[in-house]
Amino acid sequence: MKERGFDFYTGVPCSFLKDLINYAINECDYVGAVNEGDAVAIAGGAQLGGRKSVVLMQNSGLTNAVSPLTSLNYCFKLPVLGFVSLRGEPGLSDEPQHELMGQITTQLLELMQVEWAFLSDDIEQAEIQLEQADQVIASDRPFFFVVKKGTFNKEALRSSEVPLRPNRVEVERNENNEQSRLTRYEALGILNANKDSRTVHLATTGFTGRELYEVEDSEQNLYMVGSMGCISPLGLGVSLSCPEKKVVAIDGDGALLMRMGNLATTGQYGPTNLLHILLDNHVHDSTGGQGTVSAGVDFATVAAACGYERVQCVFDAAQFKKALKQWHSDPKLTFVYLPILKGAKEDLSRPKVKPREVKERLMVFING
């Protein structure tokens, strides 16, 4: 895999894959994700950044990856090489929770239109399989190897400790003037006006991507469709693979709540070139305005506890502009919390550019 350029790994451990995971930790770039869906999104972000990425998971967690595989990778034609273990293989003794997944793992992959193969334990045959998988990846489709027990040779882990980053920074809280609260469209306009020629904007699903498109359709933008909650791990993957770019992940309260565990992953692995912005209006705007539980969550304190290097709460245009300029001039792994007004721009259109085209032009910008 290294000879073929697969050098970015992410995933969630499984005893059947432990030796491959140990090798990835020892010899390659590896990001330990908190769930399998996050891992798929992180790998997708790395793929956007020009890295050939690999995702590793137990089959019991394959269902966690269904959303990004079907609405991120499929829609954007974003390939990833996957390894999923076959716990609960029919005819073998295993824990009871693996019984059903052992029966339906390959069926799930087929339902998601993911090409797959049982990984051979013969290295020469496995090389042929990998060549075939690489051809599928080259055509912008994911490919998964299903791994049976005892497939890999032993690989000792050199170090089991993840070096912790400093955390518990003080949250910077500006004066809260509710009369000056911005709309989402206004906030995105300010964000767009403060970008430079190295900035990548990744907008979460729903109205955020659609409004960013109306502010300005740009090759520097990605408008996420589906895969709710995945903008944060996607941004992490892009930022890790493209240290020369400035990556902005634009999140919503409902989306972040769905995958809040990735705050910990980002706090651990996130580099200085990542800015994570949360636009919080306490509702699921694009589905009818149903309330979220965000009013009871102190996102800024959570981000600080998870290891973000700078955490700021801003409430109006001037404070938001100041935070953006500070990050551009003094980049650190930053979380900016911005409460906004409910509602969306009237007569809001949908992007005319297709997801695959959005991906392709963004990759040209990132890697050009």
Side-chain angles (χ1 to χ4, degrees):
M1 286 192 288
K2 285 183 70 175
E3 291 174 359
R4 290 185 171 275
F6 292 99
D7 60 356
F8 185 98
Y9 291 72
T10 181
V12 180
C14 174
S15 59
F16 286 15
L17 302 178
K18 65 178 182 293
D19 298 299
L20 176 59
I21 294 172
N22 290 351
Y23 182 85
I25 294 172
N26 290 342
E27 303 291 344
C28 305
D29 288 339
Y30 180 82
V31 174
V34 296
N35 67 60
E36 295 78 6
D38 285 0
V40 170
I42 292 168
Q47 196 81 24
L48 282 172
R51 302 287 294 274
K52 294 180 74 171
S53 55
V54 183
V55 64
L56 311 165
M57 67 184 72
Q58 187 177 109
N59 59 343
S60 59
L62 180 59
T63 49
N64 283 332
V66 168
S67 175
L69 282 172
T70 57
S71 59
L72 176 63
N73 299 80
Y74 179 85
C75 291
F76 286 92
K77 306 304 177 188
L78 198 57
V80 65
L81 179 61
F83 288 79
V84 57
S85 64
L86 187 60
R87 297 297 304 269
E89 180 181 357
L92 296 182
S93 177
D94 207 332
E95 300 295 332
Q97 68 267 25
H98 300 303
E99 181 180 354
L100 180 57
M101 280 303 302
Q103 299 173 28
I104 66 173
T105 294
T106 58
Q107 296 174 48
L108 278 176
L109 292 171
E110 290 172 358
L111 280 172
M112 294 187 289
Q113 300 182 25
V114 174
E115 293 196 41
W116 67 275
F118 288 115
L119 181 65
S120 174
D121 58 4
D122 177 83
I123 186 62
E124 293 183 358
Q125 182 61 34
E127 288 180 14
I128 296 172
Q129 290 182 310
L130 184 60
E131 180 180 0
Q132 296 169 341
D134 205 7
Q135 292 174 359
V136 175
I137 297 294
S139 65
D140 290 339
R141 292 174 293 154
F143 187 96
F144 269 60
F145 283 114
V146 179
V147 182
K148 296 184 178 183
K149 187 177 183 179
T151 297
F152 294 109
N153 292 333
K154 299 296 182 182
E155 174 76 15
L157 187 62
R158 293 176 194 160
S159 175
S160 61
E161 294 184 5
V162 177
L164 296 178
R165 296 163 60 100
N167 60 9
R168 304 298 194 275
V169 298
E170 289 293 327
V171 177
E172 302 174 27
R173 300 184 188 273
N174 289 275
E175 182 180 354
N176 184 359
N177 183 357
E178 293 192 10
Q179 302 303 316
S180 301
R181 193 158 293 188
L182 300 167
T183 65
R184 184 191 302 103
Y185 188 77
E186 290 170 336
L188 293 171
I190 292 170
L191 180 63
N192 188 69
N194 281 272
K195 71 181 180 183
D196 61 21
S197 61
R198 295 193 293 127
T199 307
V200 174
H201 284 158
L202 308 172
T204 189
T205 190
F207 286 155
T208 304
R210 292 169 63 183
E211 289 190 342
L212 181 62
Y213 173 81
E214 289 215 350
V215 168
E216 182 187 12
D217 180 31
S218 169
E219 63 179 3
Q220 297 172 236
N221 296 347
L222 182 136
Y223 318 111
M224 180 168 278
V225 294
S227 51
M228 185 173 171
C230 284
I231 206 66
S232 169
L234 186 77
L236 176 59
V238 175
S239 63
L240 288 171
S241 59
C242 301
E244 73 284 357
K245 297 297 184 185
K246 299 176 178 179
V247 182
V248 182
I250 314 163
D251 223 335
D253 50 299
L256 181 54
L257 286 167
M258 184 172 285
R259 293 192 179 273
M260 199 155 61
N262 192 65
L263 288 175
T265 310
T266 300
Q268 173 60 40
Y269 295 97
T272 59
N273 65 328
L274 178 61
L275 170 61
H276 188 179
I277 298 174
L278 175 60
L279 304 179
D280 184 6
N281 61 4
H282 303 331
V283 297
H284 295 288
D285 245 348
S286 65
T287 58
Q290 301 88 354
T292 70
V293 298
S294 68
V297 178
D298 188 342
F299 290 104
T301 297
V302 174
C306 286
Y308 281 72
E309 297 176 73
R310 181 189 293 134
V311 180
Q312 298 170 302
C313 297
V314 298
F315 301 95
D316 59 33
Q319 294 171 4
F320 189 36
K321 291 176 185 177
K322 182 179 179 181
L324 293 173
K325 290 179 179 178
Q326 183 180 15
W327 179 72
H328 278 289
S329 62
D330 180 24
K332 293 181 180 180
L333 175 61
T334 299
F335 183 89
V336 171
Y337 173 80
L338 174 62
I340 58 171
L341 297 172
K342 300 175 184 177
K345 181 179 179 293
E346 292 186 6
D347 302 319
L348 185 60
S349 64
R350 296 182 183 274
K352 302 298 188 295
V353 58
K354 296 180 180 179
R356 180 172 187 167
E357 296 168 341
V358 170
K359 177 208 74 172
E360 290 173 348
R361 71 183 189 182
L362 180 60
M363 290 186 69
V364 170
F365 170 74
I366 290 175
N367 303 298

